Amino acid sequence: MADNRAIGIFDSGLGGLTVAREVMKLLPNENIVYFGDTGRVPYGTRSHDTIKKYALQDERFLLSHDVKLIVAACGTVSSVAADTAEVLPVPFVEVVSHSVRAAVSATQNGKIGILATSATINSGAHKKQILEFIPNAEVIESAGTLLVPIVEEGWTGDTDPVALETLKRYLAPMIDAGVDTLILGCTHFPVLTGAIKNILGDKVTLINMGVSTALAVKDMLQKSNGLRDEQNTGNKFYVSDKTASFQKVANILLGDYDKDFNVEQVDIEKA
Ligand code: DGL
């Protein structure tokens, strides 16, 4: 038994490519349909109602591509709009719960940091779930609002002065509290790993939501006999706006992964 339909992945923009990259690495046979809402990014500063409306439209678009499973590769959607999945006819994977499990297994001292968008931090989603596993955990949250535009600008070098200075401010409470584990709770942030390590050193474990989510996707498909039994026949990438910096940002977020992808623009309101 196999299911050769594609896996649908969406994000408010291109940050979700850090999740898509991990899924493509772990499950190279799978076809991916990716939608990035580049015309309406960021979601992280918007109201719950707007984020839910956008998430439903994104999910509907992916369903129109006959996907077998949908991944919300966006910390913000996963934190405040995961209930949109209740009406989906296919399984749904969000990025929060798997990263929480990875953080809870990694921590030795029970002090865990969350660096995410303000909508994610305000939702308290990570904190609530961490406290279910470790009731006396110390959770230090920081809304790294300026980091999304910094990544979009491509200022992601390990020693980039703007990235380092901004990160130092957001990470100061984590350093003061002595966290030993930090969840990168926004899918844009894995590309700042080098700069974050330069500030926190090697003793703090960084949790990349893409890695934990890709493992969850594999596990879910394996258990339901839903893995593809043929080779990949091509991934499809869609955006709601082909911005001038699109290719630059996509290259940064995809890292060493396949950058020769074709991207199509869609009108998501009408999709
Ligand atoms: N990809 C979003 C997230 O993971 C960050 C960008 C946004 O604010 O929409 O939360």
Side-chain angles (χ1 to χ4, degrees):
M1 280 276 287
D3 187 339
N4 288 337
R5 293 177 296 168
I7 295 173
I9 303 180
F10 76 96
D11 178 40
S12 57
L14 299 178
L17 289 175
T18 62
V19 178
R21 174 170 92 179
E22 300 302 332
V23 174
M24 293 188 291
K25 264 192 218 163
L26 191 65
L27 299 170
N29 283 348
E30 297 293 330
N31 286 346
I32 306 291
V33 179
Y34 182 91
F35 172 69
D37 200 357
T38 48
R40 304 190 295 196
V41 69
Y43 286 5
T45 48
R46 297 185 195 270
S47 68
H48 282 198
D49 285 352
T50 302
I51 297 167
K52 278 188 184 176
K53 183 178 116 187
Y54 289 176
L56 279 168
Q57 287 172 338
D58 302 345
E59 288 156 5
R60 200 170 55 210
F61 172 75
L62 290 176
L63 287 175
S64 73
H65 285 263
D66 192 27
V67 295
K68 62 183 168 188
L69 177 145
I70 290 181
V71 181
C74 175
T76 305
V77 169
S78 300
S79 301
V80 308
D83 57 350
T84 55
E86 284 163 15
V87 294
L88 292 179
V90 297
F92 176 78
V93 179
E94 42 70 45
V95 291
V96 172
S97 57
H98 312 293
S99 59
V100 163
R101 273 195 205 100
V104 163
S105 319
T107 188
Q108 301 285 321
N109 68 5
K111 295 181 182 181
I112 300 174
I114 319 288
L115 184 62
T117 64
S118 51
T120 298
I121 295 299
N122 291 340
S123 79
H126 291 89
K127 186 172 180 171
K128 267 182 239 147
Q129 292 186 30
I130 289 170
L131 293 177
E132 280 168 23
F133 287 101
I134 312 177
N136 61 347
E138 200 178 322
V139 181
I140 294 93
E141 299 165 293
S142 187
T145 308
L146 292 177
L147 297 173
V148 172
I150 284 175
V151 171
E152 298 275 333
E153 275 299 332
W155 296 342
T156 53
D158 298 1
T159 56
D160 183 278
V162 179
L164 285 178
E165 214 41 56
T166 313
L167 279 164
K168 272 183 200 157
R169 294 216 187 181
Y170 291 135
L171 295 175
M174 324 257 182
I175 295 168
D176 290 348
V179 302
D180 69 354
T181 306
L182 173 65
I183 299 181
L184 304 179
C186 166
T187 50
H188 274 67
F189 298 171
V191 292
L192 294 169
T193 294
I196 294 171
K197 277 185 185 286
N198 272 339
I199 297 167
L200 296 182
D202 282 332
K203 290 204 178 110
V204 176
T205 305
L206 301 185
I207 305 294
N208 176 341
M209 298 195 297
V211 174
S212 41
T213 303
L215 287 167
V217 169
K218 183 176 179 187
D219 188 50
M220 192 179 268
L221 289 176
Q222 245 164 2
K223 284 188 178 140
S224 62
N225 289 323
L227 286 168
R228 203 177 151 80
D229 66 357
E230 290 170 9
Q231 288 200 333
N232 173 298
T233 51
N235 301 325
K236 289 183 181 153
F237 295 86
Y238 298 90
V239 290
S240 50
D241 193 14
K242 269 196 212 176
T243 53
S245 60
F246 166 79
Q247 196 62 51
K248 182 182 83 178
V249 180
N251 286 351
I252 292 169
L253 292 165
L254 277 174
D256 51 5
Y257 218 83
D258 171 21
K259 297 186 182 86
D260 294 324
F261 59 85
N262 284 323
V263 62
E264 239 178 80
Q265 186 168 327
V266 291
D267 184 344
I268 191 67
E269 305 268 353
K270 292 193 186 137

